[in-house]
Amino acid sequence: MRITLIEDEKQLANIVKKGLEEEGYSVDVAHDGEEGLYMVENYPSDVVILDIMLPLLDGISILSSMRKKGIKTPVLLLTARDTITDKIKGLDSGADDYLTKPFEFGELLARIRALIRRKADIKDTVIRIGDLEINTANREIKRGGKTIQLSAKEYAMLQYMAYNKDKIVSRTDLIEHIYDENFDANSNALDVYVNFLRNKIDKGFKKKLIHTVRGAGYILKEKE
Ligand code: CA
């Protein structure tokens, strides 16, 4: 999953970006409001983390502008003060959630997961495809009851496919949602990771769950 982080406090932005990347998210960062608005309007994103107080353009204006343009990406607002007015204004402008600074990183992660689930319309934190279980809360993967260890990128890939289970996910979808703007789309890194993932999820099992759809992409599904 790909996150746009719009935060002008560089130190905080760096810590959050690093922490999110360790969790397997890819993160694009903007340090001012104008750059942030450009990013949300031009880059694909699964969640936007938006600070309210920003140079050049404030968070509420960015939010109103993106909603006016029909961009429905879930937005988590960061408010510096615990003031009701900011929260009301934010929610009324189309924010999906908010978090008051300073916050615990674990809470930020939980709120992001909740927004992603809501967007995918999945209520349960565990996604099941046949005998494969993906626990999106603690990132535990099991197949046939046995735990499977995945790298952060492999997990990100599997999670994206799981949120879109039974649907074809194109190479472009995967590149746009699991890598950030610095990814070289011409490299074969994506195919390499899909193969790694296949080896871990399907190897040794009679029933394959990750299928290649020739010329279209991949699909995670139970039925052949
Ligand atoms: Ca700020």
Side-chain angles (χ1 to χ4, degrees), residues 66-219:
M66 60 186 279
R67 293 303 187 231
K68 235 176 255 163
K69 287 190 174 145
I71 301 167
K72 296 191 180 83
T73 317
V75 170
L76 173 67
L77 276 185
L78 298 181
T79 69
R81 295 150 295 158
D82 197 3
T83 63
I84 295 296
T85 341
D86 269 8
K87 288 172 191 168
I88 294 171
K89 227 160 105 192
L91 292 170
D92 279 345
S93 307
D96 299 272
D97 201 358
Y98 59 82
L99 201 53
T100 306
K101 292 185 195 175
F103 51 83
E104 291 288 332
F105 191 65
E107 187 177 1
L108 176 69
L109 288 178
R111 285 174 187 270
I112 290 170
R113 288 194 296 265
L115 288 176
I116 290 173
R117 276 201 304 276
R118 206 191 295 168
K119 189 188 169 201
D121 202 19
I122 289 171
K123 302 280 181 289
D124 199 341
T125 54
V126 180
I127 304 173
R128 291 179 182 85
I129 298 108
D131 58 352
L132 176 69
E133 285 182 17
I134 300 154
N135 186 326
T136 59
N138 63 11
R139 301 199 299 160
E140 202 172 73
I141 312 293
K142 280 184 182 168
R143 179 135 193 215
K146 270 176 90 179
T147 301
I148 298 172
Q149 302 290 345
L150 296 182
S151 72
K153 267 288 172 264
E154 289 162 0
Y155 177 81
M157 188 173 277
L158 182 65
Q159 187 196 38
Y160 187 77
M161 287 183 181
Y163 278 126
N164 293 284
K165 69 175 182 176
D166 302 321
K167 285 181 215 150
I168 295 173
V169 171
S170 70
R171 293 186 87 245
T172 310
D173 288 335
L174 282 174
I175 290 168
E176 286 185 348
H177 291 273
I178 66 176
Y179 293 101
D180 60 28
E181 55 174 324
N182 300 312
F183 181 72
D184 174 9
N186 296 315
S187 80
N188 68 346
L190 182 75
D191 309 274
V192 171
Y193 276 111
V194 172
N195 279 332
F196 283 161
L197 189 60
R198 267 214 170 102
N199 274 334
K200 291 185 179 176
I201 299 299
D202 281 338
K203 206 177 174 182
F205 289 91
K206 211 170 150 204
K207 192 171 211 173
K208 308 295 174 216
L209 299 175
I210 301 172
H211 307 267
T212 301
V213 184
R214 206 172 289 274
Y218 304 97
I219 185 165

Side-chain angles (χ1 to χ4, degrees), residues 8 31-37 52-59 61-62:
D8 60 315
H31 294 299
D32 67 62
E34 284 181 357
E35 192 190 7
L37 183 62
I52 290 188
M53 305 273 278
L54 290 165
L56 303 179
L57 190 66
D58 69 276
S61 303
I62 293 175

